[in-house]
Each structure stands twice: as structure tokens, then as C-alpha cells.
Amino acid sequence: GSKSLKNCCITWIMVCIALCVILLCQLLLRSQDQSAVIERSNNSLDMVEMSGFICGYVSCVFYLGSRFPQLYKNFQRKSTEGTSYLLFALAMMGNCTYGLSLVLKMPATKSFRALYFLHHLPWLLGSFGVLFLDVFVTLQFLLYRQRKERQSGLVALEVEPLLVSEEPA
């Protein structure tokens, strides 16, 4: 329950701090070593870029994973009560425009397009993947709202008295 959630949060914070320290050290080493820069081909990656990719994919996994607990909780309860649809709607709009901005910036030259796509893959997967999952959250809002409306109609009938006296008592 809450203890495992607390441990998960503490672990996540420690991983983030460690990644930030590693990236900061790499950036400092990179700036000090500018005089001894070795030319590299466009297809190879240096340590900072590789760290960026690793962070991108880790971010993608956590970002995609962030929707599953809400989807599962809604499914278990058969309700979206307490969940803000505006949050999901705005996130959908943000992910759609972000993903489209990456796609629209794609170079026209086919040789550069593949490299661009590969370099932006974790962010494309994250934005369009979460957009896809948010469609399921939207479907839950629609499905469970209709169920709530049907149930509220039944409840109203159950609380009405069976016998109604016509004369005031």
C-alpha cells in the first residue's frame, strides 16, 4: 500500500538525483576537455548524448506508466469520480501538439529523416503513447458517466414511497 508507494517515490527521487549529478559531471568534463575534442562521425554518440537518450527512454517509460494506475483504478471502481477530465483533456492537447511539432520539424532529406526520427524516438513514443492511453481514459469517462446516469435514475425510484396518501395527515 502506502509504504511501497513511499519506497517507490524515494527510489525515484534518488535515481533522478543520481542522473542529474552524472549529467552535470559529464557536462563539466566536456566543457573542460574542449581543447582535446576528437572528431567523430555524425552516426556516433558521445557520453552526454547517450545519457540524454537514456534519460529520454526512462522518461518515456515513466510517462507511459503514469496512466496505467489511473486506468486500473477507474476500471476497478467502474467510476471516474474524483478524476479531473480537464487534466486529461489538456494533457491530450499538449501531447498532440508536442508530438506534431516533432513530426513537422522532421527534415525533408530522407538521409537526415531517419537519424532525426531515431534521435527523437523516446519523446515521440512518450507523447503519442500517452495520447493513445488518454483516449482510453476518455472512453472510461464516457462509459462510466452513462452508467452513473442509469444508476442515479434507479436510485431515485427506490427512495420514492410505495404508498402515497392523497389526504393530508
Side-chain angles (χ1 to χ4, degrees):
S2 64
K3 186 172 181 152
S4 64
L5 179 63
K6 181 181 174 184
N7 289 339
C8 182
C9 289
I10 290 170
T11 303
W12 174 237
I13 290 169
M14 297 304 287
V15 167
C16 287
I17 290 171
L19 285 173
C20 289
V21 168
I22 290 169
L23 285 173
L24 183 62
C25 289
Q26 287 181 355
L27 288 171
L28 289 173
L29 289 172
R30 185 184 206 187
S31 65
Q32 288 177 353
D33 201 26
Q34 286 296 341
S35 60
V37 172
I38 301 170
E39 276 199 37
R40 59 184 179 87
S41 72
N42 286 337
N43 294 333
S44 67
L45 299 173
D46 66 6
M47 212 43 187
V48 174
E49 285 176 310
M50 186 56 73
S51 299
F53 277 120
I54 292 169
C55 287
Y57 280 107
V58 168
S59 169
C60 178
V61 167
F62 282 113
Y63 196 41
L64 287 170
S66 71
R67 294 308 195 249
F68 289 106
Q70 188 65 55
L71 284 164
Y72 183 69
K73 184 176 183 178
N74 293 347
F75 176 75
Q76 274 190 318
R77 296 182 310 152
K78 304 288 187 241
S79 170
T80 56
E81 190 174 333
T83 306
S84 169
Y85 183 70
L86 183 60
L87 174 114
F88 287 95
L90 292 173
M92 287 173 70
M93 290 169 50
N95 284 316
C96 184
T97 54
Y98 178 71
L100 284 175
S101 74
L102 291 175
V103 170
L104 293 174
K105 283 177 29 179
M106 198 170 291
T109 313
K110 282 191 177 187
S111 60
F112 292 120
R113 193 178 299 163
L115 189 60
Y116 175 89
F117 182 77
L118 183 64
H119 281 195
H120 292 86
L121 187 60
W123 296 277
L124 285 165
L125 288 173
S127 62
F128 286 132
V130 169
L131 180 62
F132 177 73
L133 292 174
D134 284 347
V135 168
F136 288 103
V137 174
T138 300
L139 291 174
Q140 286 182 327
F141 270 94
L142 294 172
L143 177 69
Y144 299 144
R145 181 188 67 193
Q146 291 172 354
R147 178 174 287 166
K148 186 177 179 180
E149 288 172 358
R150 284 189 301 236
Q151 288 176 347
S152 67
L154 292 175
V155 172
L157 293 175
E158 291 176 2
V159 294
E160 291 179 9
L162 294 174
L163 300 174
V164 179
S165 67
E166 295 178 6
E167 297 177 21

